[in-house]
Amino acid sequence: MVTYRTLAELEDAHDQERRTAQRRIESADHYLDLYRSRMFQLRETFYTLGAREGVADDPGFRKELQRVSDTADENVAHAGRRIGELEEEYSAMLREHDEQRDCVLAERGDTD
């Protein structure tokens, strides 16, 4: 653990870590939303194209469209789980920050 000269230095470092972690989570959420939206658009476009070409009801076409859809859904689920892990890590980091702050205050003899 890094030793900080003042409580303010520790709190500044914690603030920076929190902002960085929050940006990572927000960015992951944003990119997942973009991916989900793009995959929905692609499925709709492929189906429309298939309908226009008269193959939308073809079992081979439907099977491949379903395979692509399933893969996209699996990717979204995996990314959602990873975002959940990032949120858990963020919560653990907040608890650790509280403990570090409490230790610094205890060492200084502060009660706040």
Side-chain angles (χ1 to χ4, degrees), residues 93-111:
M93 181 186 66
L94 293 179
R95 288 188 299 275
E96 182 179 324
H97 286 179
D98 287 342
E99 290 171 9
Q100 288 174 353
R101 184 176 188 280
D102 290 346
C103 285
V104 168
L105 289 174
E107 288 173 3
R108 292 179 41 182
D110 292 349
T111 58

Side-chain angles (χ1 to χ4, degrees), residues 45-90:
T45 299
F46 289 145
Y47 183 79
T48 300
L49 178 62
R52 188 174 65 219
E53 297 296 320
V55 296
D57 292 326
D58 177 73
F61 176 82
R62 293 184 78 69
K63 180 180 177 183
E64 283 305 305
L65 184 59
Q66 187 61 52
R67 185 186 62 76
V68 169
S69 295
D70 290 346
T71 299
D73 291 345
E74 289 170 13
N75 290 340
V76 167
H78 176 74
R81 287 189 300 274
R82 183 59 186 125
I83 291 170
E85 291 170 5
L86 290 174
E87 290 169 342
E88 289 173 14
E89 290 170 8
Y90 179 75

Side-chain angles (χ1 to χ4, degrees), residues 17-75:
E17 286 180 48
R18 280 192 296 273
R19 283 191 303 272
T20 298
Q22 287 170 337
R23 279 193 304 268
R24 286 179 63 198
I25 292 168
E26 290 167 2
S27 179
D29 278 331
H30 173 73
Y31 285 113
L32 180 55
D33 287 343
L34 288 175
Y35 177 82
R36 186 183 293 118
S37 174
R38 186 66 179 137
M39 290 298 101
F40 179 78
Q41 290 171 347
L42 285 172
R43 285 186 288 220
E44 290 294 313
T45 299
F46 289 145
Y47 183 79
T48 300
L49 178 62
R52 188 174 65 219
E53 297 296 320
V55 296
D57 292 326
D58 177 73
F61 176 82
R62 293 184 78 69
K63 180 180 177 183
E64 283 305 305
L65 184 59
Q66 187 61 52
R67 185 186 62 76
V68 169
S69 295
D70 290 346
T71 299
D73 291 345
E74 289 170 13
N75 290 340

Side-chain angles (χ1 to χ4, degrees), residues 6-18:
T6 66
L7 181 60
E9 283 182 359
L10 175 67
E11 289 175 340
D12 287 344
H14 286 173
D15 288 344
Q16 184 175 356
E17 286 180 48
R18 280 192 296 273

